[in-house]
Amino acid sequence: RISSLEQELKIRLFHRTTRIVTLTTEGKVYFEKASKILEQTAIAYEELRSLNTEIAGPVKFSAPPDFAVMYIAPIVAEFNVLHPRVAFDIHLSSDRVDLFSGGYDFAVRIGKLPDSSLISKPAGAVQSQLYASSRYLELNGVPEKTEDLIRHKILSFTGVKQLSLWNSTTQEIEKIEFNPVMTSNNMTMLQALVEKNAGIALLPKMCANQGLRSLSAVLPYLQTPVAEVNIVTESRLLPLRVTAFVEFLQKRLLEMLV
């Protein structure tokens, strides 16, 4: 191999006699440079290995805004108490961001995943139903059938004037049309309005389990179809800090969600 290298460089690296082999001037230069490269490589290897033996460093991920505020925020806070040296960079977006170009370690996605090379970890499912505050129902009456919603104040997402809900009684999808009195592009805003007795809105079932005792389900036999929640990554080979949080997040979400 040394001979091949000398032929390639067209330089002698060694003085050779029958009794001894010594470095030439060029050989000494090559040896010093190569030794430094090997030393730096060994240092880099040890540093990377040590980085992956402790839960510390940056973790960047993307998640849907309302879902992140309602479900993920408390999980991040809990994990950060356990591992304070992890620095989170959380991006909220309703779009399915590109993990590679955005430099994301992972993303949380809701709904059916398209076929792709991404690796997915199931993290439960979400389902929504109609809610109103107890006070609103006291003042306006409790709807007993779908037709009763016509005389009620309906709050909805911006641009939504029809809901397709699963009727557990008839085992069919039921379409409900309405003219909303208020709309918003933010679930947290709709939830706050419902809590303030503003009307009836479609909210995640989780709302009823977050200590919001003032909320009551309206026509509880009507619910949205189940939407799967997944954590997606580009690779199975992730830094320890990312793997630790993804596993923690997955476990907590499975405990919380439908």
Side-chain angles (χ1 to χ4, degrees):
R1 294 181 180 178
I2 296 298
S3 297
S4 298
L5 182 61
E6 287 178 322
Q7 289 176 10
E8 184 179 342
L9 294 173
K10 294 181 173 54
I11 293 174
R12 287 182 65 195
L13 300 176
F14 292 93
H15 291 299
R16 299 174 180 86
T17 68
T18 55
R19 299 181 60 186
I20 192 169
V21 177
T22 59
L23 287 167
T24 64
T25 301
E26 292 81 4
K28 289 178 181 179
V29 172
Y30 187 86
F31 176 77
E32 289 175 3
K33 297 289 186 182
S35 296
K36 288 180 181 178
I37 293 172
L38 290 173
E39 182 182 358
Q40 291 300 316
T41 301
I43 291 171
Y45 174 82
E46 290 301 325
E47 287 181 352
L48 288 174
R49 191 171 68 168
S50 65
L51 283 174
N52 214 34
T53 57
E54 58 179 341
I55 301 175
V59 173
K60 181 180 180 181
F61 70 92
S62 172
D66 295 315
F67 183 86
V69 171
M70 187 174 295
Y71 299 93
I72 299 177
I75 300 174
V76 170
E78 182 184 359
F79 186 85
N80 194 239
V81 171
L82 299 173
H83 305 287
R85 295 182 61 195
V86 172
F88 285 99
D89 184 4
I90 306 167
H91 289 239
L92 305 185
S93 174
S94 298
D95 298 326
R96 296 196 167 185
V97 299
D98 182 84
L99 298 187
F100 178 76
S101 63
Y104 296 100
D105 293 306
F106 69 91
V108 177
R109 305 230 165 122
I110 300 175
K112 184 176 177 58
L113 294 175
D115 292 333
S116 74
S117 60
L118 295 177
I119 296 159
S120 64
K121 292 178 176 290
V126 290
Q127 198 171 23
S128 299
Q129 64 186 76
L130 298 169
Y131 285 99
S133 68
S134 300
R135 182 58 178 161
Y136 173 87
L137 294 176
E138 288 176 9
L139 295 173
N140 297 278
V142 178
E144 295 183 358
K145 55 186 182 297
T146 306
E147 292 76 10
D148 294 341
L149 293 174
I150 295 174
R151 59 182 180 83
H152 282 272
K153 296 178 180 179
I154 306 298
L155 320 178
S156 75
F157 265 96
T158 303
V160 175
K161 293 186 176 183
Q162 184 185 81
L163 295 176
S164 296
L165 302 178
W166 175 253
N167 187 321
S168 59
T169 302
T170 63
Q171 296 291 296
E172 294 178 345
I173 293 292
E174 188 167 338
K175 295 186 182 298
I176 302 172
E177 295 185 354
F178 53 87
N179 289 312
V181 295
M182 297 184 198
T183 62
S184 174
N185 66 345
N186 184 274
M187 180 70 71
T188 306
M189 172 62 80
L190 291 176
Q191 178 180 320
L193 289 169
V194 171
E195 291 173 14
K196 295 300 182 182
N197 315 314
I200 299 172
L202 188 72
L203 300 173
K205 292 173 70 174
M206 180 67 181
C207 292
N209 302 323
Q210 288 187 316
L212 305 176
R213 304 303 178 190
S214 62
L215 295 189
S216 299
V218 174
L219 303 175
Y221 57 87
L222 295 176
Q223 301 176 351
T224 60
V226 172
E228 296 178 352
V229 177
N230 285 280
I231 302 169
V232 297
T233 62
E234 281 195 304
S235 170
R236 298 185 191 277
L237 297 175
L238 301 170
L240 180 61
R241 62 186 180 274
V242 178
T243 300
F245 181 66
V246 166
E247 291 177 352
F248 187 85
L249 177 63
Q250 181 186 30
K251 182 175 182 293
R252 286 289 184 268
L253 288 177
L254 287 171
E255 292 170 350
M256 296 166 62
L257 301 178
V258 176

